């Protein structure tokens, strides 16, 4: 499927092209036609799946093709955090580069001047309002927000908003909106409280559910419990003396990637690092050398995990447990491509056990924990209780209110 199949307004297609998206992602393929048909929608999709464009594109199309385009709020997007609000606004600006649609993101934490700028944009007719709940209520309470022409309400990361206690605020905001509107709810998870909430605010919604990806069956996955100071020796042990032409090691930050490159060079390994401090041309060159097997070991941050397409990586090492379980799937997906078998090994330190169990939950299976080679010493236990358990101190009776 191509973006042109959605028959979006040409000016939007131009925006998509200039941003460089070539094909719709699965959530876009499913959600865009549903939204264009005018139905309410519940979409279970995580960040990273392309969910923002999945609602922004049909929304822009709806606004651009409206008969009457008086400058008033047509769409309200509610998001849990200022970071997400800003990201949504940036994507929207990109897609509407060739189309006259105005937007403003309103969120807390800024100065009084910001509030005045937001107020002016709202009063003078921004068509898309992207807002965090508390800030929007402050504007509504000031009396100048006019939702009479609103056609779309989008709740993004709804599960997170409920976790953050925003349900009453959102219901209050909705009480100011016209009943005749299209409502879209996006959420990474669908627990029962989200379903109950959705029932209150959506009208006969359709539902789409994106199954999370899993590593291919032919990847052999295993893990070691290891303290940080044991990890270099473990990498050396895993690689040296073996027939492993291409090894990809992921580490969390560019600083740790650079450190690891230095340590492995000291061990005389044929290694290079790739991270966001390198220029595009330098990155390309490192990847070319890795592809041609001039370099045996590539150390990388997650920028590489989604982007590169290199066959025949014999071993992927996760030097740390990725924060986001989906990143694990992307990293591990670099091996065993195209019917080949591959091995993915993760190092888990004592603080990362919980994150690792989240990965096991996501992929629906337990990953085998191997004992460390004896010369490396004992690693930490695989203990799922937090190492930083809070201690509660009981108050002594009879000493109130000090
Ligand atoms: P999101 O899930 O909306 O946070 O999007 C995750 C990332 O995927 C963003 O950086 C988008 O710019 C990017 N993205 C979304 N749709 C596409 C697409 N069809 N092709 C390539 N990248 C995309």
């Amino acid at each position: 499927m191509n973006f042109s199949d959605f028959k979006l307004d040409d000016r939007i297609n131009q925006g998509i092209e200039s941003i460089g998206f070539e094909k719709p992602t699965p959530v876009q393929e499913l959600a865009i036609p549903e939204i264009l048909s005018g139905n309410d929608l519940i979409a279970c999709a995580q960040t990273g799946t392309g969910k923002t464009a999945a609602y922004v594109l049909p929304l822009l199309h709806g606004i651009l093709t409206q008969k009457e385009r008086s400058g008033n709020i047509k769409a309200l997007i509610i998001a849990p955090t200022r970071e997400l609000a800003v990201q949504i606004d940036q994507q929207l600006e990109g897609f509407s580069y060739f189309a006259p649609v105005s937007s403003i993101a309103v969120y807390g934490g800024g100065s009084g001047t910001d509030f005045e700028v937001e107020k002016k944009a709202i009063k003078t007719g921004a068509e898309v309002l992207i807002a965090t709940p508390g800030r929007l209520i402050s504007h509504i309470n000031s009396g100048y927000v006019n939702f009479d022409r609103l056609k779309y309400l989008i709740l993004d990361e709804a599960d997170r908003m409920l976790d953050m206690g925003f349900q009453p605020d959102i219901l209050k905001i909705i009480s100011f909106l016209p009943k005749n509107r299209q409502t879209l709810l996006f959420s990474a998870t669908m627990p029962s409280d989200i379903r109950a909430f959705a029932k209150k605010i959506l009208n006969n919604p359709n539902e789409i559910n994106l199954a999370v990806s899993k590593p291919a069956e032919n990847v052999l996955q295993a893990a070691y419990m290891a303290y940080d100071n044991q990890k270099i020796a473990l990498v050396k042990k895993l690689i040296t003396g073996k027939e492993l032409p291409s090894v990809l090691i992921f580490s969390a930050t560019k600083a740790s990637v650079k450190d690891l490159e230095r340590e492995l060079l000291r061990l005389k390994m044929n290694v290079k690092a790739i991270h966001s401090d390198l220029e595009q041309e330098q990155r390309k060159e490192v990847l070319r050398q890795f592809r041609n097997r001039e370099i045996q070991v590539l150390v990388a941050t997650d920028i590489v995990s989604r982007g590169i397409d290199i066959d025949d990586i014999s071993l992927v090492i996760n030097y740390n447990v990725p924060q986001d379980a989906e990143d694990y799937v992307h990293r591990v997906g670099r091996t065993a491509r195209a019917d080949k078998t591959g091995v993915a090994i993760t190092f888990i330190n004592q603080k990362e056990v919980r994150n690792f169990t989240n990965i096991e939950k996501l992929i629906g299976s337990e990953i085998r924990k191997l004992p460390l080679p004896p010369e490396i010493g004992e690693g930490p236990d695989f203990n799922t209780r937090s190492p930083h358990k809070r201690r509660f101190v009981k108050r002594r009776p009879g000493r109130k209110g000090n």
Side-chain angles (χ1 to χ4, degrees), residues 235-236 238-240 242 244-250 257 260-265 267-274 286-287 289-300 310 313-317 319:
V235 170
K236 186 173 177 217
L238 289 172
I239 297 177
T240 38
K242 311 240 168 57
L244 293 168
S246 300
V247 179
L248 182 52
I249 307 182
F250 284 108
V257 162
L260 189 52
E261 181 191 27
R262 215 171 304 123
E263 295 281 348
L264 297 180
L265 281 172
L267 294 173
K268 308 261 176 306
M269 288 196 183
N270 176 11
V271 57
K272 279 212 173 140
I274 189 165
V286 174
L287 282 176
Q289 293 175 352
F290 186 56
R291 225 179 247 124
N292 293 346
R293 307 224 159 143
E294 291 159 32
I295 304 169
Q296 181 195 13
V297 182
L298 181 67
V299 189
I310 300 180
I313 293 175
S314 12
L315 172 63
V316 168
I317 296 176
Y319 200 73

Side-chain angles (χ1 to χ4, degrees), residues 124-137:
T124 52
E127 288 176 290
V128 184
L129 190 59
I130 304 142
T132 53
R135 183 66 153 211
L136 180 55
I137 288 188

Side-chain angles (χ1 to χ4, degrees), residues 104 177 229 305 325 393:
I104 174 91
L177 307 182
N229 62 8
S305 74
V393 181

Side-chain angles (χ1 to χ4, degrees), residues 3 19-25 27-28 46-54 84 87 91 95 306:
F3 279 108
I19 282 178
F21 290 0
E22 285 171 7
K23 286 202 169 293
T25 65
V27 66
Q28 291 160 5
Q46 273 138 338
T47 293
T49 54
K51 62 169 173 65
T52 314
L84 184 60
Q87 269 177 43
Q91 287 215 30
F95 292 127
R306 288 168 197 249

